[in-house]
DNA sequence: GAGCACTGC
């Protein structure tokens, strides 16, 4: 990745071999003209040399331009950023862009942008803010004439960063990856010519860890700030801080209309610009009485719409995979009955949730079935979806939305240190977003399965930001790495609960990533380099001590992707049998490793995965993650070693390495069930385990709270290892009197006696 | 003997 300095150094070198023609003019005949005199290439030379007396940007003074000037430059004929002649396609797209509502406010935007360091911009979907505002910034901020700086625009999701970058590259008539590019995990599509970069907010955060002042940017645009992802919240705190130390940095916070004042207030009363959206009105209907069974009510409502409303597709929001599959089955059965009894058209139902393979997700875009007879009652499709359709996926043609008012949300309980998913009422903002999905192509209707008074009085305004609902161990490590020493006084927009913060600090201290004063240790600094949870990072970094870093590298990658084993509804038994083929008697971690090794030895991987009920996507993903982690290890000079497979200690070493990261996630057998050490929670082993033999002590990867408390992905370990690998954590006298303490003391005695024998 | 809202590095 190139820093601003690199870019400065690289530029002059680049022009040498191309004295006669600039880089992307390959088909052009060699010109007699000295390229440094070519006004259209003026931007390729450092600002101090550039006079910009001619060319499309003639007379443009940084932060002193107008919409009129920019419009003239945009009208061509030459592209002010690439020097090329504009294509016909460019002018076609330009016509469309000028038809958006936002250009009318270009001057208003420029004035505000020029006057203030930080501004807030709110606009509904369809306003074009994500594609247009960054371009407006380019024409005024002129980052390429300002020491080759860049303009960044962050997105919460990878697909958004990619697709918007592609769109804007087309709008600006440049090749994607040149003047306009994107940067997401596993893919950096930028070059030394890039002046506008779309990126995920997590990616910008990563960059900030090595460049605390974000020096390579002259302007940072945080888009979709209302979503309040963890990364967005940390970035906002960071940017507020950086803004003071870098008066030259411009910041724009973009958000949907809600909560604008909160953003303004947080950024020292930054000015606000509101741009209108382009959506159709949506009529809202409430139920007169509260519904007792929202699933039943939802299905009933869908059928009523189908029987009585004019043409248009339906979107129903439910909470999870099982519920959605169930609802689809019931809807199909009811529609069949309805068709027999009444004069209605056909209706096709589609399930939509994140873990569905992409191919199946795509099916929701199939057109609705046609009516049975021309002019008869309309055919329709109904998409039954999780929250994924609220933000990540938009489906055109939706006219009716059915909103029961619930979604699964992550909650964190710092007292028992457990993150879990809970079906909870949605917020007003969420309800509005859902309703908006009905008005994308024409006026629509939204049926809320709750009363108007419940909406007004019971729903909270905004969903709580993620930072208030998460374990913050990773976040605290990131903040420390960002150079923020005083976490207590860090200016969060919504400060997390002190107990959550304390838990995170405590966890990092146990992992030896923070010392007793709360400072980053050498191990902590290394751990922060990895895009992993602290426990995984520590396990990986210490694995060479157990002679198995190659294997732990694979395992770490496997543990950081979801859903390795596939278990289709109609083939569970077969899937379970297949899983047994890979089972290792000591537990699930080693089983996953067996899967990975078998996968790597396979030639036709997709077919092999189908046959063995494994997710090809997950394994491929794990492989990508592994490559990324391996590069980081090589950069940090962490050794990659293996124990010879024929050695008896091959698997034992891996289990010990597991303990070095997960010693806080250990459970001990207590009668029929297990008890987690330290927290004393009664837990059961998740039924998905391959472990069959009796095991007194287990290390587990996650605690899942569903119908019962489960520990999932478990491996058998020996208590001696705990004393050996984490002596500070497993000091028996720190434990309350009880079975765990008794066992630890027994183990200590055993070790002592054995050592005494050895000494004799 | 059961589940996996959604993202991101």
């Amino acid at each position: 990745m190139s820093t601003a300095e690199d870019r400065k150094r690289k530029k002059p070198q680049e022009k040498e071999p191309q004295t006669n023609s600039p880089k992307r003019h390959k088909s052009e005949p060699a010109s007699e003209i000295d390229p440094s005199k070519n006004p259209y290439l003026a931007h390729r030379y450092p600002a101090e040399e550039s006079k910009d007396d001619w060319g499309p940007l003639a007379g443009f003074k940084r932060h002193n331009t107008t919409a009129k000037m920019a419009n003239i430059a945009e009208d061509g004929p030459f592209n002010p950023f690439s020097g090329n002649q504009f294509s016909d396609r460019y002018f076609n797209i330009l016509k469309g862009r000028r038809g958006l509502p936002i250009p009318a406010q270009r001057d208003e935007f420029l004035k505000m942008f020029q006057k203030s360091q930080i501004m807030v911009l709110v606009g509904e979907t369809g306003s074009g803010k994500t594609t247009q505002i960054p371009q407006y910034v380019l024409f005024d901020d002129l980052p390429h004439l300002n020491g080759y700086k860049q303009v960044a625009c962050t997105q919460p999701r990878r697909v958004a960063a990619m697709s918007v970058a592609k769109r804007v590259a087309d709008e600006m008539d440049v090749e994607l990856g040149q003047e306009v590019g994107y940067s997401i995990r596993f893919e950096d599509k930028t070059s030394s010519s890039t002046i506008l970069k779309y990126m995920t907010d997590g990616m910008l955060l990563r960059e900030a860890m090595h460049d605390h002042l974000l020096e390579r940017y002259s302007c940072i645009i945080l888009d979709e700030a209302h979503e309040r992802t963890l990364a967005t919240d940390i970035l906002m705190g960071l940017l507020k801080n950086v803004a003071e130390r870098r008066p030259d940095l411009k910041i724009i916070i973009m958000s949907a209309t809600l909560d604008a004042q909160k953003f303004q207030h947080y950024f020292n009363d930054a000015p606000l610009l509101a741009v209108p959206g382009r959506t159709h009105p949506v009529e809202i209907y409430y139920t007169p009485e509260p519904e007792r069974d929202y699933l039943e009510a939802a299905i009933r409502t869908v059928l009523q719409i189908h029987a009585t409303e004019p043409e248009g597709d339906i979107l129903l929001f439910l909470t999870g995979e099982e519920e959605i599959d169930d609802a689809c089955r019931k809807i199909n059965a009811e529609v069949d009955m309805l068709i027999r009894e009444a004069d209605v058209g056909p209706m096709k139902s589609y399930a939509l949730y994140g873990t569905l393979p992409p191919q199946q997700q795509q099916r929701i875009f199939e057109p609705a079935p046609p009516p049975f007879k021309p002019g008869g009652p309309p055919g329709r499709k109904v998409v039954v979806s999780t929250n994924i359709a609220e933000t990540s996926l938009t489906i055109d043609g939706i006219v009716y939305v059915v909103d029961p008012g619930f979604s699964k949300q992550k909650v964190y309980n710092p007292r028992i240190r457990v993150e879990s998913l809970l079906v909870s009422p949605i917020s007003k903002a969420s309800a509005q977003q859902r309703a908006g999905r009905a008005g994308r192509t024409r006026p629509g209707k939204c049926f809320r399965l709750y009363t108007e008074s419940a909406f007004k009085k019971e729903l909270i305004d905004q969903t709580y930001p993620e930072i208030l609902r998460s374990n913050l161990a990773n976040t605290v490590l990131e903040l420390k790495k960002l150079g923020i020493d005083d976490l207590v006084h860090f200016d969060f927009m919504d400060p997390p609960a002190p107990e959550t913060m304390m838990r995170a600090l405590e966890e990092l201290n146990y992992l030896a990533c923070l010392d007793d004063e709360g400072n980053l240790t050498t191990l902590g600094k290394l751990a922060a380099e990895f895009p992993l949870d602290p426990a995984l990072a520590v396990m990986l970094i210490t694995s060479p001590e157990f002679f198995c870093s190659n294997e732990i590298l694979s395992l770490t990658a496997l543990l950081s992707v979801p859903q390795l084993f596939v278990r289709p509804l109609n083939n569970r038994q077969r899937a379970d049998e297949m899983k047994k083929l890979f089972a290792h008697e000591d537990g699930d971690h080693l089983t996953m490793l067996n899967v990975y090794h078998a996968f790597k030895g396979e030639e036709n991987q997709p077919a092999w995965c189908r046959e063995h009920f494994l997710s090809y996507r997950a394994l491929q993903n794990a492989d990508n993650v592994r490559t990324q982690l391996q590069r980081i290890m090589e950069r940090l000079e962490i050794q990659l070693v293996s124990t010879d497979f024929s050695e008896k200690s091959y698997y034992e070493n891996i289990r010990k390495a597991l303990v070095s990261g997960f010693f806080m996630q250990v459970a001990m057998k207590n009668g029929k069930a297990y008890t987690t050490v330290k927290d004393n929670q009664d837990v059961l082993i998740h039924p998905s385990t391959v472990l069959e033999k009796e095991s007194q002590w287990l290390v587990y990867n996650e605690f899942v709270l569903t119908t019962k408390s489960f520990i999932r992905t478990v491996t058998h370990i020996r208590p001696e290892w705990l004393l050996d690998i984490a002596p500070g954590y497993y000091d028996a006298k720190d434990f309350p009197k009880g079975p765990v303490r008794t066992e630890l003391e027994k183990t200590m005695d055993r070790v002592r006696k054995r050592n005494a024998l050895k000494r004799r």
Side-chain angles (χ1 to χ4, degrees):
Chain A
M1 211 159 291
S2 62
T3 65
E5 272 67 31
D6 283 341
R7 292 156 58 79
K8 271 182 216 156
R9 276 199 302 275
K10 260 187 249 159
K11 278 284 172 177
Q13 285 167 8
E14 262 179 14
K15 64 185 176 193
E16 270 171 18
Q18 332 165 320
T19 336
N20 289 326
S21 79
K23 211 158 100 195
R24 268 158 290 109
H25 285 237
K26 279 185 191 120
S27 55
E28 216 176 61
S31 157
E32 304 284 295
I33 307 165
D34 175 356
S36 68
K37 298 267 163 56
N38 182 339
Y40 303 121
L41 297 174
H43 67 282
R44 293 183 173 267
Y45 305 93
E48 44 280 17
E49 290 170 27
S50 156
K51 302 274 194 299
D52 265 294
D53 287 342
W54 328 284
L57 298 181
F60 276 61
K61 281 210 194 76
R62 193 160 179 258
H63 298 164
N64 192 15
T65 70
T66 62
K68 197 176 163 197
M69 291 165 71
N71 283 336
I72 292 170
E74 278 176 353
D75 286 339
F78 287 99
N79 188 326
F81 300 106
S82 70
N84 295 347
Q85 199 159 349
F86 279 128
S87 66
D88 289 346
R89 192 173 71 137
Y90 167 84
F91 292 107
N92 278 334
I93 300 178
L94 185 63
K95 227 182 283 167
R97 288 171 58 200
R98 295 268 167 88
L100 288 166
I102 202 165
Q105 282 166 287
R106 189 162 184 167
D107 262 326
E108 200 183 338
F109 165 77
L110 286 174
K111 282 196 188 109
M112 201 177 277
F113 177 73
Q114 289 156 358
K115 237 183 13 211
S116 38
Q117 185 181 13
I118 308 178
M119 63 175 284
V120 179
L121 191 143
V122 299
E124 290 160 41
T125 42
S127 62
K129 62 182 190 311
T130 305
T131 52
Q132 304 309 301
I133 291 295
Q135 296 185 65
Y136 293 180
V137 168
L138 284 183
F139 276 91
D140 185 64
D141 197 58
L142 310 168
H144 54 304
L145 301 177
N146 176 36
Y148 296 111
K149 291 210 189 280
Q150 297 179 320
V151 171
C153 180
T154 69
Q155 297 293 319
R157 283 168 291 277
R158 298 160 50 99
V159 273
M162 274 162 63
S163 56
V164 177
K166 175 83 186 83
R167 169 70 197 175
V168 172
D170 286 349
E171 289 191 2
M172 289 182 58
D173 211 16
V174 298
E175 194 188 319
L176 182 64
Q178 293 298 321
E179 283 75 10
V180 178
Y182 64 86
S183 176
I184 59 178
R185 187 182 190 181
F186 306 129
E187 201 185 352
D188 180 8
K189 197 138 179 83
T190 64
S191 65
S192 56
S193 330
T194 304
I195 51 174
L196 172 57
K197 178 157 94 178
Y198 286 90
M199 64 204 300
T200 47
D201 45 18
M203 200 69 199
L204 185 60
L205 205 55
R206 277 275 139 196
E207 286 186 7
M209 286 182 194
H210 293 109
D211 175 11
H212 294 346
L213 292 178
L214 295 159
E215 307 255 22
R216 81 179 71 164
Y217 302 104
S218 60
C219 176
I220 292 173
I221 305 167
L222 287 193
D223 200 4
E224 313 287 359
H226 62 278
E227 288 194 24
R228 304 291 307 275
T229 65
L230 254 175
T232 303
D233 268 27
I234 301 170
L235 277 174
M236 284 199 290
L238 189 75
L239 286 177
K240 191 173 173 182
N241 188 299
V242 170
E244 281 174 31
R245 294 190 282 164
R246 270 197 60 196
D248 61 308
L249 178 71
K250 297 258 186 200
I251 296 163
I252 304 174
I253 309 294
M254 300 209 289
S255 148
T257 36
L258 291 131
D259 244 15
Q261 279 160 6
K262 189 167 181 171
F263 290 113
Q264 278 186 281
H265 179 73
Y266 176 70
F267 286 104
N268 313 315
D269 298 316
L272 174 76
L273 181 68
V275 297
R278 245 203 185 172
T279 45
H280 303 273
V282 175
E283 248 181 289
I284 310 279
Y285 298 88
Y286 294 93
T287 53
E289 297 294 324
E291 294 287 353
R292 281 177 59 228
D293 180 346
Y294 73 83
L295 189 60
E296 185 269 325
I299 294 169
R300 182 166 25 91
T301 308
V302 167
L303 293 164
Q304 258 164 23
I305 294 170
H306 183 49
T308 59
E309 294 285 344
E311 197 178 359
D313 297 332
I314 308 170
L315 174 61
L316 163 61
F317 285 101
L318 291 176
T319 65
E321 176 177 339
E322 213 177 271
E323 198 177 78
I324 287 170
D325 288 338
D326 189 34
C328 282
R329 271 196 304 274
K330 284 180 180 155
I331 290 171
N332 290 343
E334 296 273 350
V335 167
D336 285 347
M337 232 152 68
L338 206 61
I339 289 169
R340 280 196 296 271
E341 290 167 5
D343 183 25
V344 300
M347 181 159 76
K348 203 158 179 216
S349 70
Y350 294 90
L352 176 64
Y353 38 84
T355 49
L356 220 54
Q359 239 177 336
Q360 242 168 303
Q361 278 190 12
Q362 285 304 311
R363 291 186 46 215
I364 61 165
F365 297 109
E366 289 173 7
F372 287 126
K373 51 180 188 283
R380 229 187 276 272
K381 72 177 170 188
V382 52
V383 177
V384 187
S385 170
T386 61
N387 255 358
I388 194 169
E390 201 180 294
T391 48
S392 309
L393 263 167
T394 43
I395 314 152
D396 283 329
I398 297 294
V399 179
Y400 307 99
V401 163
V402 180
D403 172 21
F406 292 96
S407 72
K408 271 191 197 174
Q409 288 164 32
K410 185 170 75 179
V411 287
Y412 177 62
N413 181 342
R415 203 177 46 76
I416 56 171
R417 302 175 219 195
V418 172
E419 276 182 354
S420 49
L421 285 171
L422 218 64
V423 174
S424 323
I426 60 170
S427 63
K428 287 195 184 79
S430 216
Q432 246 172 292
Q433 177 77 18
R434 287 180 174 191
R437 292 306 196 185
R440 289 192 59 84
T441 35
R442 61 187 161 102
K445 291 182 179 177
C446 173
F447 299 88
R448 292 184 174 156
L449 305 182
Y450 37 91
T451 63
E452 187 165 8
S453 108
F455 174 80
K456 284 185 177 148
K457 292 182 199 147
E458 288 165 37
L459 299 194
I460 55 170
D461 287 343
Q462 299 281 333
T463 310
Y464 291 114
E466 205 183 352
I467 199 162
L468 302 183
R469 298 183 285 123
S470 311
N471 174 344
L472 294 183
N474 205 9
T475 302
V476 167
L477 189 67
E478 279 169 3
L479 286 167
K480 287 279 176 186
K481 181 77 180 174
L482 286 165
I484 291 139
D485 297 320
D486 187 4
L487 291 179
V488 181
H489 295 105
F490 184 70
D491 190 2
F492 290 107
M493 192 156 162
D494 283 286
E499 195 179 355
T500 308
M501 218 58 184
M502 290 311 295
R503 283 294 190 195
L505 290 165
E506 183 190 65
E507 194 178 321
L508 289 167
N509 180 241
Y510 280 131
L511 283 170
C513 288
L514 295 179
D515 64 21
D516 292 345
E517 276 72 51
N519 298 314
L520 219 47
T521 61
T522 309
L523 179 62
K525 282 178 197 156
L526 290 174
E529 293 286 329
F530 289 93
L532 293 170
D533 278 340
L536 283 170
V538 166
M539 168 171 85
L540 185 56
I541 295 163
T542 49
S543 59
E545 292 173 32
F546 302 93
F547 313 104
C548 57
S549 44
N550 281 314
E551 288 72 22
I552 291 297
L553 178 60
S554 308
L555 188 55
T556 305
L558 290 163
L559 288 172
S560 48
V561 300
Q563 293 254 126
L564 190 56
F565 297 98
V566 182
R567 216 164 162 256
L569 214 61
N570 50 1
N571 237 337
R572 291 182 169 180
Q573 211 184 339
R574 181 95 183 116
D576 291 347
E577 281 165 22
M578 281 301 172
K579 188 173 175 181
K580 279 208 176 107
L581 294 178
F582 302 100
H584 187 286
E585 59 163 5
D586 278 323
D588 302 309
H589 295 93
L590 302 178
T591 304
M592 289 167 84
L593 203 56
N594 285 344
V595 168
Y596 181 73
H597 288 151
F599 171 77
K600 290 300 279 181
E602 225 23 73
E603 241 169 61
N604 188 349
Q605 289 173 333
W608 181 83
C609 285
R610 266 195 306 279
E611 192 186 328
H612 292 87
F613 292 90
L614 295 163
S615 162
Y616 176 58
R617 195 160 52 127
L619 279 160
Q620 236 182 349
N621 209 334
D623 222 23
N624 279 337
V625 175
R626 191 186 192 278
T627 309
Q628 187 192 23
L629 298 177
Q630 182 174 346
R631 289 214 187 100
I632 300 173
M633 285 177 85
E634 284 161 0
R635 174 161 62 79
L636 302 177
E637 298 182 339
I638 299 168
Q639 280 188 306
L640 285 159
V641 289
S642 290
T643 303
D644 196 296
F645 189 68
S646 59
E647 296 266 337
K648 234 180 75 187
S649 57
Y650 178 84
Y651 283 114
E652 193 170 300
N653 286 343
I654 296 169
R655 287 154 65 207
K656 283 181 180 167
L658 261 173
V659 169
S660 77
F662 287 87
F663 57 86
M664 279 178 277
Q665 299 186 14
V666 168
M668 192 192 84
K669 197 158 174 61
N670 184 12
K672 272 188 180 165
Y674 282 79
T675 306
T676 59
V677 301
K678 275 282 160 88
D679 294 321
N680 269 310
Q681 292 272 314
D682 286 330
V683 291
L684 295 170
I685 302 180
H686 197 274
S688 61
T689 189
V690 298
L691 198 73
E692 283 177 347
K693 70 175 188 186
E694 277 281 285
S695 175
Q696 180 85 13
W697 296 84
L698 292 173
V699 63
Y700 61 90
N701 183 58
E702 55 180 344
F703 182 114
V704 282
L705 189 63
T706 50
T707 48
K708 291 175 189 142
S709 298
F710 292 106
I711 48 174
R712 189 160 53 189
T713 313
V714 300
T715 285
H716 167 65
I717 56 159
R718 296 185 183 286
E720 292 87 340
W721 302 346
L722 297 172
L723 301 181
D724 195 35
I725 293 166
Y729 193 82
Y730 283 97
D731 194 340
K733 68 176 188 302
D734 291 344
F735 284 75
K737 280 211 166 65
V740 174
R741 177 166 171 161
T742 311
E743 280 306 313
L744 284 175
E745 281 168 345
K746 272 198 231 163
T747 310
M748 235 141 89
D749 273 349
R750 217 163 44 229
V751 173
R752 234 179 266 134
K753 276 177 198 150
R754 199 185 304 155
N755 286 348
L757 277 173
K758 268 190 214 157
R759 253 177 266 130
R760 255 185 237 161

